[in-house]
Amino acid sequence: MRKYTLPFWALAFSFYSTPVERRLPILFSSPWPSPSRQISAACPTCYPPKTSEFFQALKSFCFEDFILWCRGRRTIIETPAALLLYSHFRRDTETYSFLRAVGRGLCAFPIGALIHAALAIVLGAPVGSWYLLKTINWSLLMSSLTIVPVASVFGSSWRDWQRVFARTEPNDLLEYMLCIPAHGAAIGAWLGAWPMPLDWERPWQEWPICVTYGAVTGYVIGLSASFCVACASTGARRSRQKGD
Amino acid sequence: MEARWKKWCPWGILLLHGLAILMFTKGFLLTRTELPYYSNCSDISVSPCLSSPDANVDNHSSGHLENAKQDQHCWSKPAVDRLVIIILDALRFDFVAPSAFFPEKKPWMDKLPVLQNLAFTQGSSTKIFKAIADPPTTSLQRLKGLTTGGLPTFVDVGNSFGAPAIVEDNLIHQLVSNGKRVVMMGDDTWVQLFPDHFNKSYPYPSFNVKDLDTVDNGCNTHIFETLYQEDWDVLVAHFLGVDHAGHIFGVDSAQMIGKLEQYNQILEKVIETLVRKSEPGGLHENTILLVMGDHGQTLNGDHGGGSAEEDGKKCVSSIQQLDFAATVSALLGIPFPFGSIGSVNAELYALAAGTWNWRDLDTSNQKHQSEMEKWMKNYVNTLCVNSWQVKRYIDVYSASSIIGFSSEDLAHISNKYAELEENWSHSIRNLLTCQTESCSLVMAQITKQVNLYLDFLSHVSELARSKWTEFNLKMMGIGLGTMILSLLIISLAIWSMPTVSGIGFESIFAFLVVVIRACSFLSNSFILEEGKVACFLLATTGIVKLRYSIMRKGMLVEAILFLLLVLGLRFTIEIGMSKQAATSAFMHASSSWITGIALGDSLWGYAAEVGPLLVLVVLSCIVYKVITGNFQGIQKYIIMLTIPSYILIGLHWVLESDTQNLPLLFEGIGRNYIPQAIYALGCSQLLFLAFGMLFNEDKVADHKNSLMIKTLSMLSAWSPMIILLSGKQGSWIALASIVGGYCITRLQNTGKYANGGKARTSSFNLLAVTQWNLLAVCLFFASGHWCAFDGLRYGAAFIGFDEFVLVRQAILLTLDTFGFSLILPVMGLPFLLLGLNQTNPGKNVLFNQLSQMYMAYGLITATTVTATILCVTIQRRHLMVWGLFAPKFVFDVVGLVLTEVMICLASLFYFRRWVVL
């Protein structure tokens, strides 16, 4: 059982070691400047943008200083880390080598991105050359959060995929760790899309910034939840062992 | 017994909702109370102002005022003898002068050069104003506002097609009762508004939007002979062509340019005539010509909303439309209408005296200076009368109306006015009557007083503008409460029915989706993007269904097909919204890729012509295939009639697309007879069905099959009319609704067997009903509608007919607006039940399920409408309340009532035979 908690700790460490305000922007980290929304020319005074200090600070932090030096780095670091860690805990250790698990994860990376991009476009993500690279960037991130770990662990075992994703019936700790954060990321991304139509004229309302924030938040919450599940189940097991 | 009670359930809900909506509407869309008082000449003696200032000021009436008879002095000194008002309906300001709205010059700009030339060459006697209209910008509202000087309210929009007579005190009434003779020509709305006021009138029918020329040609024939006649004082000519050209062809069209060029010629001729007759002692020696628009229009030629483009009509200095009545009354020397809250516009008023540019004049010029002083004295007195009249109106209004202005506002107005009056009585009045040389030193004081008056008047009009809609919060609360109560009652009724199964994930999810959609109406942004929100939620349910289908290893094709359909709907909705964004002040015009497609090349155009026809063929094949299934008897022939209807639609579209190549005879047949034939076929199908239901009493064993036949025949009877009215997109949308309905029907079974694979019999699927509803909402937006009055496709009302008949055209417009989003979904709802995996249920079970399903559908609609009502209540002081929330409210409420009426009809049609015993 202990070996299953290891990747959790590693991932959790990689998340929590970065200060919380840095965590979100790095993960998204678009290398392209966000198009600043124009204030409606016909009605400039409808909603005077409130220069809330918090938003100002967040904005300058996210989009001016920080993005400049850490664009794209987190996805680049995060994906191999998740890939290697989860590949280590692959199923069928006898038949599949570590490298093969990594290969599976790598194969799943673009496929998962494709699925995410398709679903996002069905849901209403903007289409067009301007948004193409942003959508690719976002869907790769989503893929690394949801599909890649599962692919590394399960490979092409359709039954396991179905169990974890369609029926949400994880059996052991590792599957909890695959299932809950992935669902958290998807639900978080869905919720993160809601502020997009609002007329607050904030740069973070652009696709896919707030969706990414939502996804990462959901992922972190999912990770914490799976940590709680892990604690609870180990605790229960220990007490049961003591009772025996 | 119980069945009988259930039969009346939809009617009871309809009644309850009708009452609730009526109550709320009465509280929310309250009109301004119209006061039955009229201004009289003799009223002036009550005012502190001078009844005839120049009696004391100047004994030597100078220049062009000599003709003014002393007995015509009423409230102010008449400045002109005759007035010619030429109204060009829907005149955009940039038709006349360049505007900064677009960075580059557009083809329709500066198309009335005659006005510009006059303004820049003849200097002091011509001026271009930019008139600012208050929403709502429909012709009737604007005419009412122009003549009464008040603020027409939102409710009157509903009267726009009925044009009732104006009973309030108004400019035309004042003209007539003060012995002015008024001649009117053009738009017949004027005659409806003022049935007994005109000496002579040449009205022409205004409601055939396709007719660009009748009204204008009528004006053209009468205006010149009238200009030479002496038997009138005020001439009103109302041209409509630009409005109609805008509605049918849009602003950027050859027809629009042609109309504007025609107007330019007419105006040139009118001005030439006036100038020729303007020698001293001539007919038009002292005549003022006002060329104006009643409202503007948006780029695609519609109006009715409150966007910046629509409100801005013609000019450079701006003038509030409110001020028109007061200024014209002052110019003609008649009493101001009782309810006018406008002020006398200085620049327009000064035009008559030729002193509008007095500020720029060389002050050393003694003649000019004395003219200017005289004018200023006259003007300050006029403003005094004006302020007194406005104050009187406010006082009388707040005395007779229960919920008028707040007491602080009234006190503020009273204080301001008292201050003004004191200043007036103690100093200015004496200054005006003094005749010594020292009087010239008091110009500064008079100017100050003028500014004080103007300040007071603008304060009052601002206050009126902000407070005019008197919300009756009690009525609104009762209405809202009744709605919420009715929701509870319906929920309980559904709950109490025997066939309800336990609450599963799907029901909770469906409930969440409905609640989320309802909550989204609390923000104006989500209302603007309602189509996208509905599509987002529909896609979410589709993804959940996909997950189920993967889980159950079945119907993967349907799930993916459904998502592809949602994808298509999503793009269609975005194209529709880009149309809306072009006209809306609230939205960003975005998505450059859409315009790239929309512009298109010849190939795209070709596809757009042929595609709908191919889809029609596909639809006909579907209908044919359905008929050749297991159909028997009369129903088969009724459904069969749909195929010729589809063929006729195709023929109509072919004839419409290239009318140039066809002889005139065919053109006429194609334009009117074919659509009429389709309407006739559809109506006869419906009649046959209704009578068939009454008399056809054969007993059927297979209730499922019988229900299916009924549903199919109903849908096939409605569909040709709706497709025809929706235009060429109609066939695509019909196909989309068939595919969507099929997918939802199939997919509803994937969620079953959730626990251990045991099929629960006879439970309807709430998620499927929710999807059905969301699909209907998406179809509303995908068919190019949106919840605003400029989102109505007025052209649809004239498919097959040229003349305007209120009821007929209203029915056609309703069919177009709600056909795909309301009539077909409600009528097709039994398919959901038929698609359930259940083996031949008894008729009572089927009946229970169906009525439950209908109640659930009604509940979903009612929930969203209740949310809209709640949101309107909360946001009633929002900036966009009239531009955005009120239209949304009206659309939703009409949609709810119509949904429930359709549910009642459907329950009559589908349930009847089951409930007889």
Side-chain angles (χ1 to χ4, degrees), chain B residues 555-620:
Chain B
M555 294 189 239
L556 199 63
V557 180
E558 281 90 345
I560 289 172
L561 185 65
F562 186 68
L563 285 182
L564 286 177
L565 173 80
V566 175
L567 184 69
L569 281 178
R570 181 227 136 149
F571 287 129
T572 328
I573 289 172
E574 270 173 28
I575 290 171
M577 288 185 48
S578 69
K579 247 186 265 169
Q580 181 187 5
T583 67
S584 170
F586 310 128
M587 287 179 76
H588 302 279
S590 60
S591 312
S592 52
W593 62 272
I594 289 175
T595 47
I597 292 174
L599 282 174
D601 45 357
S602 61
L603 185 70
W604 188 256
Y606 186 69
E609 292 287 333
V610 175
L613 297 177
L614 288 180
V615 177
L616 265 185
V617 172
V618 172
L619 288 177
S620 308

Coordinates of all heavy atoms in Angstrom, one line a residue, chain B residues 555-620:
Chain B
M555 N -25.4 2.5 -28.0 CA -25.8 3.8 -28.5 C -24.8 4.8 -28.6 O -25.0 6.0 -28.4 CB -27.1 4.3 -27.8 CG -28.2 3.4 -28.0 SD -29.7 4.1 -27.3 CE -30.2 2.9 -26.2
L556 N -23.5 4.4 -28.8 CA -22.4 5.3 -28.9 C -22.6 6.2 -30.1 O -22.3 7.4 -30.1 CB -21.1 4.6 -29.0 CG -19.9 5.3 -28.7 CD1 -19.9 5.8 -27.3 CD2 -18.6 4.5 -29.0
V557 N -23.2 5.7 -31.2 CA -23.4 6.4 -32.4 C -24.3 7.6 -32.1 O -24.1 8.7 -32.5 CB -23.9 5.5 -33.5 CG1 -24.1 6.3 -34.8 CG2 -23.0 4.4 -33.8
E558 N -25.4 7.3 -31.4 CA -26.4 8.3 -31.2 C -25.8 9.4 -30.3 O -26.0 10.6 -30.6 CB -27.6 7.8 -30.5 CG -28.6 7.1 -31.4 CD -28.3 5.6 -31.5 OE1 -27.2 5.2 -31.1 OE2 -29.1 4.8 -32.0
A559 N -25.0 9.0 -29.3 CA -24.4 10.0 -28.4 C -23.5 10.9 -29.2 O -23.5 12.2 -29.0 CB -23.7 9.3 -27.3
I560 N -22.7 10.4 -30.1 CA -21.7 11.2 -30.8 C -22.5 12.0 -31.9 O -22.2 13.2 -32.0 CB -20.7 10.3 -31.5 CG1 -19.8 9.7 -30.4 CG2 -19.9 11.1 -32.5 CD1 -18.8 8.7 -30.8
L561 N -23.5 11.5 -32.5 CA -24.3 12.2 -33.4 C -24.9 13.4 -32.7 O -25.0 14.5 -33.2 CB -25.4 11.3 -34.0 CG -26.3 11.9 -35.1 CD1 -25.5 12.2 -36.3 CD2 -27.4 11.0 -35.4
F562 N -25.4 13.2 -31.5 CA -26.0 14.3 -30.7 C -25.0 15.4 -30.5 O -25.3 16.6 -30.6 CB -26.6 13.7 -29.4 CG -27.3 14.7 -28.6 CD1 -28.6 15.2 -29.1 CD2 -26.9 15.2 -27.4 CE1 -29.3 16.1 -28.4 CE2 -27.6 16.2 -26.7 CZ -28.8 16.6 -27.2
L563 N -23.8 15.0 -30.1 CA -22.7 16.0 -29.8 C -22.4 16.8 -31.1 O -22.2 18.0 -31.1 CB -21.5 15.4 -29.3 CG -21.6 15.0 -27.8 CD1 -20.3 14.4 -27.3 CD2 -22.0 16.1 -26.9
L564 N -22.4 16.1 -32.2 CA -22.1 16.8 -33.5 C -23.2 17.7 -33.8 O -23.0 18.9 -34.3 CB -22.0 15.7 -34.6 CG -20.7 14.9 -34.6 CD1 -20.7 13.9 -35.7 CD2 -19.5 15.9 -34.8
L565 N -24.5 17.3 -33.5 CA -25.6 18.2 -33.8 C -25.5 19.5 -32.9 O -25.7 20.6 -33.4 CB -26.9 17.5 -33.4 CG -28.1 18.4 -33.4 CD1 -28.6 18.6 -34.9 CD2 -29.2 17.8 -32.6
V566 N -25.1 19.3 -31.6 CA -24.9 20.4 -30.7 C -23.8 21.3 -31.3 O -23.9 22.6 -31.2 CB -24.6 20.0 -29.3 CG1 -24.3 21.1 -28.4 CG2 -25.7 19.2 -28.7
L567 N -22.7 20.7 -31.8 CA -21.7 21.5 -32.4 C -22.2 22.4 -33.6 O -21.9 23.6 -33.6 CB -20.6 20.5 -33.0 CG -19.3 21.2 -33.5 CD1 -18.5 21.8 -32.4 CD2 -18.5 20.2 -34.3
G568 N -23.0 21.8 -34.4 CA -23.6 22.5 -35.5 C -24.5 23.6 -35.0 O -24.4 24.8 -35.5
L569 N -25.3 23.3 -34.0 CA -26.2 24.3 -33.4 C -25.4 25.5 -32.8 O -25.7 26.6 -33.0 CB -27.0 23.7 -32.3 CG -28.2 22.9 -32.7 CD1 -28.9 22.3 -31.5 CD2 -29.2 23.8 -33.5
R570 N -24.3 25.1 -32.2 CA -23.4 26.1 -31.6 C -22.9 27.1 -32.6 O -23.0 28.3 -32.4 CB -22.3 25.4 -30.9 CG -21.3 26.2 -30.2 CD -19.9 25.8 -30.6 NE -19.2 27.0 -30.8 CZ -17.9 27.2 -30.6 NH1 -17.2 26.2 -30.2 NH2 -17.3 28.3 -30.8
F571 N -22.5 26.6 -33.8 CA -22.0 27.6 -34.8 C -23.1 28.4 -35.3 O -23.0 29.6 -35.6 CB -21.3 26.8 -35.9 CG -19.9 26.3 -35.4 CD1 -19.6 25.0 -35.6 CD2 -19.0 27.1 -34.8 CE1 -18.3 24.5 -35.2 CE2 -17.8 26.7 -34.4 CZ -17.5 25.4 -34.6
T572 N -24.3 27.7 -35.5 CA -25.4 28.5 -36.1 C -25.9 29.6 -35.1 O -26.2 30.7 -35.5 CB -26.6 27.5 -36.3 OG1 -26.1 26.3 -36.6 CG2 -27.5 28.1 -37.3
I573 N -25.8 29.2 -33.8 CA -26.2 30.2 -32.8 C -25.2 31.4 -32.8 O -25.6 32.6 -32.7 CB -26.3 29.6 -31.4 CG1 -27.5 28.7 -31.3 CG2 -26.3 30.7 -30.3 CD1 -27.5 27.9 -30.1
E574 N -24.0 31.1 -33.0 CA -23.0 32.2 -33.0 C -23.2 33.1 -34.2 O -23.0 34.3 -34.1 CB -21.6 31.6 -33.0 CG -21.1 31.4 -31.6 CD -19.8 30.7 -31.5 OE1 -19.0 30.8 -32.4 OE2 -19.6 30.1 -30.4
I575 N -23.5 32.5 -35.4 CA -23.8 33.3 -36.5 C -25.0 34.2 -36.3 O -25.0 35.4 -36.5 CB -24.1 32.4 -37.8 CG1 -22.8 31.8 -38.2 CG2 -24.6 33.3 -38.9 CD1 -22.9 30.7 -39.2
G576 N -26.0 33.7 -35.6 CA -27.2 34.5 -35.3 C -26.8 35.6 -34.3 O -27.3 36.7 -34.4
M577 N -25.9 35.3 -33.4 CA -25.6 36.3 -32.4 C -24.7 37.3 -33.0 O -24.8 38.5 -32.5 CB -24.9 35.6 -31.2 CG -25.9 34.8 -30.4 SD -25.2 34.1 -28.9 CE -24.4 35.5 -28.2
S578 N -23.9 37.0 -34.0 CA -23.2 38.1 -34.7 C -24.1 39.0 -35.4 O -23.8 40.2 -35.4 CB -22.2 37.4 -35.7 OG -22.9 36.9 -36.8
K579 N -25.2 38.5 -35.8 CA -26.2 39.4 -36.4 C -26.8 40.3 -35.3 O -27.0 41.5 -35.6 CB -27.4 38.6 -37.0 CG -27.5 38.6 -38.5 CD -28.8 37.9 -38.9 CE -28.5 36.5 -39.3 NZ -29.7 35.7 -39.5
Q580 N -27.0 39.7 -34.2 CA -27.6 40.5 -33.1 C -26.5 41.6 -32.6 O -26.9 42.7 -32.4 CB -27.9 39.6 -31.9 CG -28.5 40.3 -30.7 CD -28.7 39.4 -29.5 OE1 -28.3 38.3 -29.6 NE2 -29.3 39.9 -28.5
A581 N -25.3 41.1 -32.6 CA -24.2 42.1 -32.1 C -24.1 43.3 -33.0 O -23.8 44.4 -32.5 CB -22.9 41.3 -32.0
A582 N -24.4 43.1 -34.3 CA -24.3 44.2 -35.2 C -25.3 45.3 -34.9 O -25.1 46.4 -35.2 CB -24.5 43.7 -36.6
T583 N -26.4 44.9 -34.2 CA -27.4 45.9 -34.0 C -27.5 46.3 -32.5 O -28.2 47.2 -32.1 CB -28.8 45.4 -34.4 OG1 -29.1 44.3 -33.5 CG2 -28.8 44.9 -35.8
S584 N -26.8 45.6 -31.6 CA -27.0 45.8 -30.2 C -25.9 46.7 -29.6 O -24.7 46.5 -30.0 CB -27.0 44.4 -29.5 OG -27.0 44.7 -28.1
A585 N -26.3 47.5 -28.7 CA -25.3 48.4 -28.1 C -24.6 47.6 -27.0 O -23.6 48.1 -26.5 CB -26.0 49.6 -27.5
F586 N -25.2 46.5 -26.6 CA -24.7 45.8 -25.4 C -23.6 44.8 -25.7 O -23.0 44.2 -24.8 CB -25.8 45.2 -24.6 CG -27.0 46.1 -24.4 CD1 -28.2 45.7 -24.7 CD2 -26.8 47.3 -23.8 CE1 -29.3 46.6 -24.5 CE2 -27.8 48.2 -23.5 CZ -29.1 47.8 -23.9
M587 N -23.6 44.4 -27.0 CA -22.7 43.2 -27.3 C -21.5 43.6 -28.0 O -21.4 44.6 -28.8 CB -23.5 42.2 -28.1 CG -24.6 41.5 -27.3 SD -25.5 40.4 -28.3 CE -24.3 39.1 -28.5
H588 N -20.5 42.8 -27.9 CA -19.3 42.9 -28.7 C -19.5 42.2 -30.0 O -19.9 41.1 -30.0 CB -18.1 42.2 -28.0 CG -17.8 42.8 -26.6 ND1 -17.1 43.9 -26.5 CD2 -18.1 42.3 -25.4 CE1 -17.0 44.2 -25.2 NE2 -17.6 43.2 -24.5
A589 N -19.1 42.9 -31.1 CA -19.1 42.1 -32.3 C -17.8 41.4 -32.3 O -16.7 42.0 -32.2 CB -19.2 43.1 -33.5
S590 N -17.9 40.1 -32.5 CA -16.7 39.3 -32.3 C -16.6 38.3 -33.5 O -17.3 38.3 -34.4 CB -16.7 38.6 -31.0 OG -17.8 37.7 -30.9
S591 N -15.7 37.4 -33.3 CA -15.5 36.2 -34.1 C -15.4 36.5 -35.6 O -16.4 36.5 -36.4 CB -16.8 35.3 -34.0 OG -17.0 35.1 -32.6
S592 N -14.2 36.9 -36.0 CA -14.0 37.3 -37.3 C -14.1 36.2 -38.3 O -14.5 36.4 -39.5 CB -12.6 37.9 -37.5 OG -11.7 36.9 -37.0
W593 N -14.0 34.9 -37.8 CA -14.1 33.8 -38.8 C -15.5 33.7 -39.3 O -15.7 33.2 -40.4 CB -13.6 32.5 -38.1 CG -14.5 32.1 -36.9 CD1 -14.3 32.5 -35.6 CD2 -15.6 31.3 -36.9 NE1 -15.3 32.0 -34.9 CE2 -16.1 31.2 -35.6 CE3 -16.3 30.6 -38.0 CZ2 -17.3 30.5 -35.3 CZ3 -17.4 29.9 -37.6 CH2 -17.9 29.9 -36.3
I594 N -16.5 34.1 -38.5 CA -17.8 34.0 -39.0 C -18.1 34.8 -40.2 O -18.6 34.4 -41.2 CB -18.8 34.4 -37.9 CG1 -18.8 33.3 -36.8 CG2 -20.2 34.5 -38.4 CD1 -19.6 33.6 -35.6
T595 N -17.6 36.1 -40.2 CA -17.8 36.9 -41.3 C -17.1 36.4 -42.5 O -17.6 36.6 -43.7 CB -17.3 38.4 -41.0 OG1 -16.0 38.2 -40.4 CG2 -18.2 39.1 -40.1
G596 N -16.0 35.7 -42.3 CA -15.3 35.1 -43.5 C -16.2 34.1 -44.2 O -16.2 34.1 -45.4
I597 N -16.9 33.4 -43.4 CA -17.8 32.4 -44.0 C -19.0 33.1 -44.6 O -19.4 32.8 -45.7 CB -18.2 31.3 -43.0 CG1 -17.0 30.5 -42.6 CG2 -19.3 30.4 -43.6 CD1 -17.3 29.5 -41.5
A598 N -19.5 34.0 -43.8 CA -20.8 34.6 -44.2 C -20.7 35.4 -45.5 O -21.6 35.4 -46.3 CB -21.3 35.5 -43.1
L599 N -19.5 36.0 -45.7 CA -19.4 36.7 -47.0 C -19.4 35.8 -48.2 O -20.3 35.9 -49.1 CB -18.0 37.5 -47.0 CG -18.0 38.8 -46.2 CD1 -16.6 39.3 -46.1 CD2 -18.9 39.8 -46.7
G600 N -18.5 34.8 -48.2 CA -18.6 33.7 -49.1 C -18.4 34.1 -50.5 O -18.4 35.3 -51.0
D601 N -18.1 33.1 -51.3 CA -17.9 33.3 -52.8 C -19.1 32.6 -53.5 O -20.1 32.3 -52.9 CB -16.6 32.7 -53.2 CG -16.4 31.3 -52.6 OD1 -17.2 30.9 -51.8 OD2 -15.3 30.7 -52.9
S602 N -18.9 32.5 -54.8 CA -20.1 32.0 -55.6 C -20.4 30.5 -55.2 O -21.6 30.1 -55.1 CB -19.7 32.0 -57.0 OG -18.6 31.2 -57.3
L603 N -19.4 29.8 -54.8 CA -19.6 28.4 -54.5 C -20.5 28.3 -53.2 O -21.4 27.5 -53.2 CB -18.2 27.7 -54.2 CG -18.3 26.2 -54.0 CD1 -18.7 25.4 -55.2 CD2 -17.1 25.6 -53.4
W604 N -20.1 29.1 -52.3 CA -20.9 29.1 -51.0 C -22.3 29.6 -51.3 O -23.3 29.0 -50.8 CB -20.2 30.1 -50.1 CG -20.8 30.0 -48.7 CD1 -21.6 30.9 -48.1 CD2 -20.6 29.0 -47.7 NE1 -22.0 30.5 -46.9 CE2 -21.4 29.3 -46.6 CE3 -19.9 27.8 -47.7 CZ2 -21.4 28.5 -45.5 CZ3 -19.9 27.0 -46.6 CH2 -20.7 27.4 -45.5
G605 N -22.5 30.6 -52.1 CA -23.8 31.0 -52.5 C -24.6 29.9 -53.2 O -25.8 29.7 -52.9
Y606 N -23.9 29.2 -54.0 CA -24.6 28.1 -54.7 C -25.0 27.0 -53.7 O -26.2 26.6 -53.8 CB -23.6 27.5 -55.7 CG -24.2 26.4 -56.6 CD1 -25.1 26.8 -57.6 CD2 -23.8 25.1 -56.5 CE1 -25.6 25.8 -58.4 CE2 -24.3 24.1 -57.3 CZ -25.2 24.5 -58.3 OH -25.7 23.5 -59.1
A607 N -24.1 26.7 -52.8 CA -24.5 25.8 -51.8 C -25.7 26.2 -50.9 O -26.6 25.5 -50.6 CB -23.3 25.5 -50.9
A608 N -25.7 27.5 -50.6 CA -26.8 28.1 -49.8 C -28.1 28.0 -50.6 O -29.2 27.9 -50.0 CB -26.5 29.5 -49.5
E609 N -28.0 28.0 -51.9 CA -29.3 27.9 -52.7 C -29.7 26.4 -52.8 O -30.9 26.1 -52.6 CB -29.1 28.4 -54.1 CG -28.8 29.9 -54.3 CD -30.1 30.7 -54.0 OE1 -31.2 30.1 -54.3 OE2 -30.0 31.8 -53.6
V610 N -28.8 25.5 -53.0 CA -29.2 24.1 -53.3 C -29.3 23.3 -52.0 O -30.2 22.5 -51.9 CB -28.1 23.5 -54.2 CG1 -28.4 22.0 -54.4 CG2 -28.0 24.2 -55.5
G611 N -28.5 23.7 -51.0 CA -28.6 22.9 -49.8 C -30.0 22.7 -49.2 O -30.4 21.6 -49.0
P612 N -30.7 23.9 -49.0 CA -32.1 23.7 -48.4 C -33.0 22.8 -49.2 O -33.8 22.1 -48.7 CB -32.6 25.2 -48.4 CG -31.4 26.0 -48.4 CD -30.3 25.3 -49.1
L613 N -32.8 22.9 -50.6 CA -33.7 22.1 -51.4 C -33.4 20.6 -51.2 O -34.3 19.8 -51.1 CB -33.5 22.5 -52.9 CG -33.9 23.9 -53.2 CD1 -33.6 24.2 -54.6 CD2 -35.4 24.1 -52.9
L614 N -32.1 20.3 -51.1 CA -31.7 18.9 -50.9 C -32.3 18.4 -49.5 O -32.8 17.3 -49.4 CB -30.2 18.7 -50.9 CG -29.5 18.9 -52.2 CD1 -28.0 18.7 -52.1 CD2 -30.1 17.8 -53.2
V615 N -32.2 19.3 -48.5 CA -32.7 18.9 -47.2 C -34.2 18.7 -47.3 O -34.7 17.8 -46.6 CB -32.3 20.0 -46.2 CG1 -32.9 19.6 -44.8 CG2 -30.8 20.1 -46.0
L616 N -34.9 19.5 -48.1 CA -36.3 19.3 -48.2 C -36.6 18.0 -48.8 O -37.5 17.3 -48.4 CB -36.9 20.4 -49.2 CG -37.4 21.6 -48.6 CD1 -38.1 22.5 -49.6 CD2 -38.5 21.3 -47.5
V617 N -35.8 17.5 -49.8 CA -35.9 16.2 -50.4 C -35.8 15.2 -49.3 O -36.6 14.2 -49.2 CB -34.9 16.0 -51.5 CG1 -35.0 14.6 -52.0 CG2 -35.2 17.0 -52.7
V618 N -34.7 15.3 -48.5 CA -34.5 14.4 -47.4 C -35.7 14.3 -46.5 O -36.2 13.2 -46.1 CB -33.3 14.8 -46.6 CG1 -33.1 13.9 -45.4 CG2 -32.0 14.6 -47.5
L619 N -36.3 15.5 -46.1 CA -37.4 15.5 -45.3 C -38.6 14.8 -45.9 O -39.3 14.0 -45.2 CB -37.8 17.0 -45.0 CG -36.9 17.8 -44.0 CD1 -37.4 19.2 -43.9 CD2 -36.9 17.2 -42.7
S620 N -38.8 15.1 -47.2 CA -39.9 14.4 -47.9 C -39.7 12.9 -47.8 O -40.7 12.1 -47.6 CB -40.0 14.8 -49.3 OG -40.0 16.2 -49.4

